[in-house]
Amino acid sequence: MTDRASERDFLLPARLRVAIDGPAGAGKSTVARGLAKRLGYVLLDTGALYRTVALAARRAGITWDDEPAVGALAQTLANEAAISVEASESAPVSLMPPSRDSAVSTAIGGSGMRVLLRGDDVSTAIRAPEMSLGASRVSAIPAVRAALLDMQRRAGLEGGVVLEGRDIGTVVLPDAEAKFFLTASAAIRARRRMEELAARGTTMAFEAVLHEVESRDRADTERPVAPLKQASDAILVDSSDRPVAEIIEEMALVVEARARVR
Ligand code: DC
């Protein structure tokens, strides 16, 4: 350890790994973004990686239920470092092993992120409702999860990160120092999803969105590989009737307290 590093370790709280899991529409993205900003941490939205695999499959003419082909595609994308995530703010965190000078890096800042697939900005394309379905499908394929696992773990190597997803506290970073499971009622999550879609110019009826939310929940919780499940040591946070700022503050205080005692 350098003098500088040891000095820093004495003076500043540790930079922890924070896992935020939960079902679709629980407000994870907003909370994770706000928490990362509040703590000065880097954010990785892992759902974007699954969405990008779904989009890449679509572009390659591979159907989402063609498990061997989608699995092989995900492995190729990982090997070729074809997916990169860039921050609009904050310093980048590398997703690649230090020995590789490749393009798969991520830097997701406090105010959103840009996702690139072979250099092509797919940030908007992966947010289409169809890609939510595609991501849910491809995320059930073990080979896809395996291909994306290393990338996600690398993002957590240095600490000072918030990883947001479905299996961060259980599979990706089981030893994360702070784990949260964020949830909300299905109706509230559907209402939020509807507003989110409307803001992007897509109008959908409440019942249709609710149906989509519930069927994604089922698919995510019932799949045999890395199902959506609260880690035994995760703090359950219900965001149903609470202001986002209050939730973020509560979570930040937990992280800060744990960072001080380390
Ligand atoms: O959070 P999101 O809606 O962008 O996630 C898209 C899909 O990817 C969702 O159906 C669940 C899946 N996913 C996953 O299986 N594991 C993760 N760590 C993140 C997302």
Side-chain angles (χ1 to χ4, degrees), residues 46-47 50-51 135-136 139 145 165-167 193 216 220 223:
T46 61
Y50 290 94
R51 288 170 178 271
S136 183
S139 68
R145 305 203 71 86
R166 301 292 193 286
D167 62 338
R193 205 68 165 178
R216 281 182 66 199
D220 292 347
R223 69 174 173 231

Side-chain angles (χ1 to χ4, degrees), residues 73-111:
L73 172 68
Q75 193 55 60
T76 303
L77 294 173
N79 292 345
E80 295 178 356
I83 303 173
S84 60
V85 192
E86 289 175 356
S88 42
E89 281 176 16
S90 102
V93 57
S94 176
L95 289 184
M96 291 308 291
S99 54
R100 282 184 74 167
D101 57 345
S102 109
V104 177
S105 65
T106 185
I108 308 167
S111 68

Side-chain angles (χ1 to χ4, degrees), residues 21-25 28-29 45-48 50-51 126-127 131-140 145 152 164-168 172 193 216 220 223 225-226:
D21 293 303
K28 286 195 307 293
S29 305
D45 160 15
T46 61
Y50 290 94
R51 288 170 178 271
I126 61 167
R127 297 290 157 199
M131 289 306 144
S132 299
L133 183 67
S136 183
R137 294 264 169 81
V138 305
S139 68
R145 305 203 71 86
Q152 298 173 74
E164 175 231 316
R166 301 292 193 286
D167 62 338
I168 308 303
V172 178
R193 205 68 165 178
R216 281 182 66 199
D220 292 347
R223 69 174 173 231
V225 194

Side-chain angles (χ1 to χ4, degrees), residues 169-170 179 229-235:
T170 50
K179 298 181 186 178
K229 171 173 123 214
Q230 183 181 348
S232 56
D233 53 350
I235 298 172

Side-chain angles (χ1 to χ4, degrees), residues 189-206:
R189 291 188 285 123
R191 172 79 46 204
R192 288 180 186 156
R193 205 68 165 178
M194 207 170 82
E195 286 163 6
E196 215 178 280
L197 290 170
R200 286 191 212 117
T202 307
T203 313
M204 259 175 96
F206 174 74

